[in-house]
Amino acid sequence: MRQGVGIERGMKMKKMLVLVSCMALLGCDYMVPLVEKPEIDIDRAALGLWRRTKDGGESEQLLVLPLGKKEYLISYPAGSKDAMFARGCLWRCEGLTLIQLDWIGTARGKLADNKRTFQYAAYVVERGSLRIRMLNVDIIDNKISSSAALAKEIASKVEEPELLIDEKVFWKSED
């Protein structure tokens, strides 16, 4: 009987960890978009199913699909019951290209319940890998309330070494 309780607690703990990481993404960083209307064509090299192995050995997937010529549909962690979905488009300034992620909901049909639905990330596709780094809210204030002010702040700090953080490396899935 005790063993069943331990297993149940372990499963609850695992679910809680997934929810916390999902909340970290859905509790997004910014309230304003950099891009109101997408104008830059998507990078077709970023499309597809990507996988990574986390520190604990668990695998997770990122699915990047075209949602037209200038937008992406992104699911993370793809294929899980806690998957999140975002619309994505590209933004450029000062030699920096970012993908704007607007997290629109989850696989469970939950919509974002606050105005902070935007995140920004830089990425590189090379030799079968997708390297993603997030815009650092400690460098770019997440209380900025206009798109123009956000763009200006990013452009002014493009040389900051800590502008982009938390690199995650995914590998193209053969599936």
Side-chain angles (χ1 to χ4, degrees), residues 39-60:
E39 296 177 1
I40 301 171
D41 286 348
I42 62 173
D43 177 359
R44 298 194 76 67
L47 299 177
L49 181 62
W50 301 87
R51 293 178 195 258
R52 80 180 191 111
T53 303
K54 299 188 316 186
D55 290 339
E58 191 175 338
S59 178
E60 68 181 3

Side-chain angles (χ1 to χ4, degrees), residues 33-152:
L34 283 168
V35 178
E36 292 286 342
K37 181 181 176 212
E39 296 177 1
I40 301 171
D41 286 348
I42 62 173
D43 177 359
R44 298 194 76 67
L47 299 177
L49 181 62
W50 301 87
R51 293 178 195 258
R52 80 180 191 111
T53 303
K54 299 188 316 186
D55 290 339
E58 191 175 338
S59 178
E60 68 181 3
Q61 300 180 116
L62 171 70
L63 181 61
V64 182
L65 299 173
L67 188 61
K69 291 180 180 182
K70 299 183 185 306
E71 282 188 284
Y72 301 95
L73 176 64
I74 297 160
S75 177
Y76 175 79
S80 85
K81 63 183 178 186
D82 295 309
M84 300 171 299
F85 295 88
R87 292 178 78 119
C89 62
L90 298 176
W91 174 84
R92 285 192 185 117
C93 88
E94 308 293 324
L96 177 67
T97 300
L98 296 177
I99 183 167
Q100 170 179 288
L101 301 168
D102 184 6
W103 293 99
I104 56 177
T106 70
R108 294 177 187 241
K110 181 175 168 114
L111 301 175
D113 57 1
N114 65 36
K115 295 180 182 180
R116 291 189 188 279
T117 62
F118 295 98
Q119 281 188 313
Y120 301 97
Y123 72 92
V124 175
V125 178
E126 62 184 4
R127 295 187 292 271
S129 72
L130 175 65
R131 297 178 175 276
I132 300 170
R133 294 182 300 150
M134 303 306 294
L135 190 65
N136 186 347
V137 296
D138 292 333
I139 302 293
I140 305 298
D141 186 4
N142 67 353
K143 293 176 184 72
I144 294 173
S145 60
S146 80
S147 300
L150 182 58
K152 183 178 178 182

Side-chain angles (χ1 to χ4, degrees), residues 6-19:
I7 291 171
E8 186 176 315
R9 281 187 187 154
M11 291 186 65
K12 282 183 182 178
M13 198 63 159
K14 185 176 179 181
K15 285 180 183 178
M16 193 65 138
L17 288 173
V18 168
L19 286 174

